[in-house]
Amino acid sequence: MAPTLTDVAKGANVALSTASRAFSDPGRLGPRTLRKVLTVAQELGYEPPVARTTESATGTRAETATVALVVPDIANPVFGAFVKAAQGECRHRGHTVVLADTDLDPDREREVLAHLRERADGLVVCSPRLDADDVLDICGRAPAVLVNRETSGTDCVLADAAHGMRQAVEYLAALGHRRIAYVQGMRRSWSNAHRVDLIRAETERAGLALELLGWQSETVAGGTAAAASVMASGASAVIAHNDLMAFGVLTGARALGLSVPGDLSVIGFDDIPFAEVSQPSLTSVAVPMARAGALSLQMLGQVLAGERQIPRTHRLPTQLIVRDSTGPTTKDPS
């Protein structure tokens, strides 16, 4: 039997009239109450009857909406690909785009979101440094889509690193590597914490030793700084949090007299365009950030147009791309 609005009201511990307003007049509810009702509706699989309209929940016509894109570091090509695809979708829909870069700083992110929530009809927040609940609290009533952060109560788009991480670990194991290092990104990165959980599970499943190294800046400089720790760990292969850090590991390893991939195999994450032309070319896990950019704007556009209210989560698969920075180990597995 399909769940009813009464079921949603009971699950959210609100009056039936309150649950009804979440779908008919959401502007009359506080942000937390609205998210609580929508979260329960999402969990129960409740689908309200929705009349198609060009008006948003705040009364803004969807075809003239202003959308804010918030990214942590536009200098990183992976976020550039995200923004380019998102802008293309906005152009297709007739939206005006406002872009903000938070410099990987949670305090700056907080300021940017507080500033934009009153000036934009909807926000897309990519790889936030703040906790998801903090992001949604700051956004208030403004519709928001989170990218690379999973939570209930709002739309989310996730580049699912599980597929790519499994392929990377299995590939290194097949090459004879028995000790793998992982160079972490920044401490407040949800993607980093998620990838740490994944590599722990995958190396344990494959019977490999894991050397989990400390947090670093998610830049070439951060990877270069980690190279000495990679060498000291005794690992014959390393996976870096992203491609920029992997490039830094390559540079640092060469400076320390190591050959790549002869002495050390290196894998990055993101598969940015430079990965193919680096020396050696970088084996990397391809992350579909361009697809995430377009999809996040499609989802936000549907909410602004009043086509749906129940939050959704889309997971996009990742894929290992093998190049010249990985090869069979020359180290004694014992």
Side-chain angles (χ1 to χ4, degrees):
M1 184 174 177
T4 65
L5 185 60
T6 300
D7 296 327
V8 174
K10 288 180 178 178
N13 195 27
V14 298
L16 182 60
S17 59
T18 300
S20 177
R21 288 191 191 100
F23 305 104
S24 63
D25 193 7
R28 293 182 62 187
L29 300 184
R32 291 192 179 185
T33 300
L34 177 60
R35 287 204 305 273
K36 181 167 67 171
V37 174
L38 295 181
T39 296
V40 172
Q42 182 183 24
E43 292 171 349
L44 294 178
Y46 173 71
E47 289 290 344
V50 178
R52 290 183 175 267
T53 176
T54 58
E55 300 291 329
S56 74
T58 58
T60 301
R61 291 183 63 82
E63 65 267 24
T64 60
T66 296
V67 173
L69 303 179
V70 181
V71 298
D73 181 16
I74 194 62
N76 186 331
V78 73
F79 296 120
F82 172 85
V83 169
K84 185 175 181 65
Q87 285 182 324
E89 186 65 26
C90 283
R91 184 168 58 250
H92 172 72
R93 292 176 174 270
H95 298 334
T96 299
V97 180
V98 176
L99 175 64
D101 182 333
T102 64
D103 293 323
L104 298 164
D105 183 344
D107 291 331
R108 173 62 179 156
E109 187 172 86
R110 189 183 303 276
E111 294 172 2
V112 164
L113 292 173
H115 178 77
L116 291 175
R117 70 183 177 192
E118 304 297 336
R119 293 162 175 80
D121 301 302
L123 298 96
V124 173
V125 188
C126 183
S127 299
R129 304 293 119 166
L130 295 170
D131 291 339
D133 287 344
D134 288 342
V135 171
L136 296 182
D137 283 344
I138 298 169
C139 289
R141 290 189 175 87
V145 177
L146 302 190
V147 179
N148 280 347
R149 179 62 67 91
E150 185 173 15
T151 189
S152 58
T154 197
D155 286 329
C156 300
V157 179
L158 302 175
D160 190 352
H163 298 84
M165 185 67 81
R166 180 175 301 114
Q167 292 167 2
V169 171
E170 289 178 348
Y171 176 64
L172 292 175
L175 292 175
H177 297 278
R178 293 294 174 263
R179 183 177 296 274
I180 298 174
Y182 178 74
V183 179
Q184 295 192 69
M186 298 177 70
R187 184 171 188 170
R188 298 198 66 156
S189 168
W190 179 88
S191 294
N192 177 71
H194 181 54
R195 291 171 191 176
V196 166
D197 290 341
L198 291 173
I199 196 170
R200 279 176 168 156
E202 292 301 327
T203 51
E204 181 178 357
R205 188 176 64 85
L208 308 182
L210 173 64
E211 296 292 335
L212 187 61
L213 305 181
W215 296 294
Q216 294 286 352
S217 170
E218 296 172 9
T219 62
V220 173
T224 303
S229 296
V230 174
M231 183 178 180
S233 73
S236 61
V238 57
I239 299 176
H241 171 71
N242 67 17
D243 284 349
L244 296 182
M245 300 180 76
F247 293 150
V249 172
L250 289 175
T251 300
R254 284 195 293 266
L256 293 169
L258 297 180
S259 169
V260 177
D263 298 319
L264 180 69
S265 286
V266 180
I267 296 179
F269 249 88
D270 292 337
D271 193 35
I272 64 177
F274 300 125
E276 194 171 5
V277 297
S278 67
Q279 293 296 323
S281 59
L282 181 66
T283 296
S284 182
V285 176
V287 176
M289 288 302 286
R291 175 62 182 140
L295 181 58
S296 62
L297 263 298
Q298 291 169 14
M299 296 171 74
L300 183 61
Q302 290 174 338
V303 174
L304 292 175
E307 295 174 5
R308 61 178 184 83
Q309 293 103 342
I310 302 299
R312 298 181 299 176
T313 296
H314 278 280
R315 299 178 186 276
L316 304 176
T318 53
Q319 173 71 43
L320 179 69
I321 307 299
V322 176
R323 298 193 180 94
D324 296 335
S325 65
T326 47
T329 182
T330 59
K331 291 188 177 182
D332 185 342
S334 61

